[in-house]
Amino acid sequence: MPGPGAHTMYALGVGAGLMRLSRGRFGPHHCLVYAANAFLGPDLGSFAEWLASCISSSSGLGHSLGSLAMDLVHHPFYYPMLLGLPLSFFYAWISALLLRKGILDPASGVSLSKMQSFLLLSAGSLSHFFLDHLFEENGHSTMYTWILSTGWWKNSAPINPDAVVVVGLLCTSLFAGFVYINRLKNGKSIIKRSDQSLRLVLIIATLYCTWCASQIYWRNPPQPAVGEEADLGVLIFLALYFFLPHALCLLSMNQRDYIDTADQLPL
């Protein structure tokens, strides 16, 4: 299972990259809250379970309460649902305190709001489980097992002609649509084209997952959707635990750019 070092370095590495790319809209305060929740966040349940066992080692009630806290808090969605509101107030207060005391530069000149704190808390929780699901229980976690189950078959999985046609059509449409959106002399801004490209990816991904699910779960008898490939599980996992937390980080950014005067040429 990934430990504190892996969770923290992953989150701070992502945060540092976002700081650079966003030119300060995602600042050090964002990084701190995001990394704190990727590191410790959902593991508060594990800490509560350990603390209860230490305080009342001979009491079954203490162990039961600790196990309940573990089950409720150590979860990618229950953690922000149960603790998101109080912790958002706490992180917003900490951010304002760090700014007021001059301890941590926010780059933008303002502290985090409660909504920004909640978005970062949720992103940290999902990023925490991005590593946990992949590297815990010797690769036999429930999520990882399900991902593999969407592509593994007892016998050699045949590549059906209808799968070749559907998958080929969807992938070709994705490439062709992307080229069309970003064609030369389009006249649209890069922001507009990136938004359209993202919508295209989401549409094709939805159709792709629908095709895979229909072949695996709705067809009787089921048949491989893409040979032995576990595309359905991989796409859903990446959507929930990779793209969604990064999207939440982007939503938490400040609205205005911060331009460091040290990078500017003197007039």
Side-chain angles (χ1 to χ4, degrees), residues 128-149:
H128 178 94
F129 283 94
F130 173 73
L131 296 183
D132 272 9
H133 284 322
L134 290 178
F135 302 111
E136 69 178 356
E137 299 178 18
N138 294 324
H140 297 289
S141 66
T142 303
M143 173 60 72
Y144 195 65
T145 302
W146 174 77
I147 293 173
L148 296 180
S149 74

Side-chain angles (χ1 to χ4, degrees), residues 90-229:
F90 173 72
Y91 287 126
W93 175 77
I94 286 291
S95 177
L97 180 65
L98 293 176
L99 174 61
R100 188 166 59 251
K101 297 294 185 180
I103 298 175
L104 186 64
D105 179 18
S108 61
V110 295
S111 60
L112 295 176
S113 68
K114 299 176 184 64
M115 178 55 70
Q116 287 175 309
S117 299
F118 180 78
L119 292 172
L120 292 167
L121 179 148
S122 302
S125 176
L126 293 171
S127 292
H128 178 94
F129 283 94
F130 173 73
L131 296 183
D132 272 9
H133 284 322
L134 290 178
F135 302 111
E136 69 178 356
E137 299 178 18
N138 294 324
H140 297 289
S141 66
T142 303
M143 173 60 72
Y144 195 65
T145 302
W146 174 77
I147 293 173
L148 296 180
S149 74
T150 63
W152 180 84
W153 298 81
K154 291 183 179 180
N155 300 318
S156 179
I159 301 178
N160 301 305
D162 54 348
V164 174
V165 172
V166 172
V167 173
L169 179 62
L170 290 175
C171 291
T172 301
S173 300
L174 182 58
F175 278 107
F178 182 83
V179 172
Y180 177 77
I181 290 172
N182 295 278
R183 66 191 183 278
L184 193 62
K185 298 181 180 179
N186 187 342
K188 297 180 180 178
S189 67
I190 187 63
I191 301 298
K192 183 70 173 179
R193 283 181 281 155
S194 65
D195 290 343
Q196 291 178 339
S197 299
L198 180 58
R199 284 195 290 269
L200 173 66
V201 172
L202 291 175
I203 291 172
I204 297 298
T206 301
L207 294 174
Y208 196 98
C209 288
T210 302
W211 160 258
C212 293
S214 68
Q215 299 302 296
I216 298 172
Y217 298 112
W218 304 338
R219 187 184 178 98
N220 189 19
Q223 71 175 19
V226 197
E228 296 181 353
E229 310 300 336

Side-chain angles (χ1 to χ4, degrees), residues 23 45 62 107 129 132 145 162 175 211 237-238 241-242 246 260 263:
R23 298 184 64 84
F129 283 94
D132 272 9
T145 302
D162 54 348
F175 278 107
W211 160 258
F237 175 78
L238 289 177
Y241 297 104
F242 185 78
H246 293 154
D260 193 344
D263 293 337

Side-chain angles (χ1 to χ4, degrees), residues 9-28 30-31 34 246 249-250 253:
M9 292 177 194
Y10 172 72
L12 282 181
V14 170
L18 288 174
M19 283 175 57
R20 180 66 179 86
L21 293 174
S22 67
R23 298 184 64 84
R25 292 175 61 194
F26 191 93
H30 293 78
C31 285
Y34 173 54
H246 293 154
C249 286
L250 294 177
M253 293 194 307

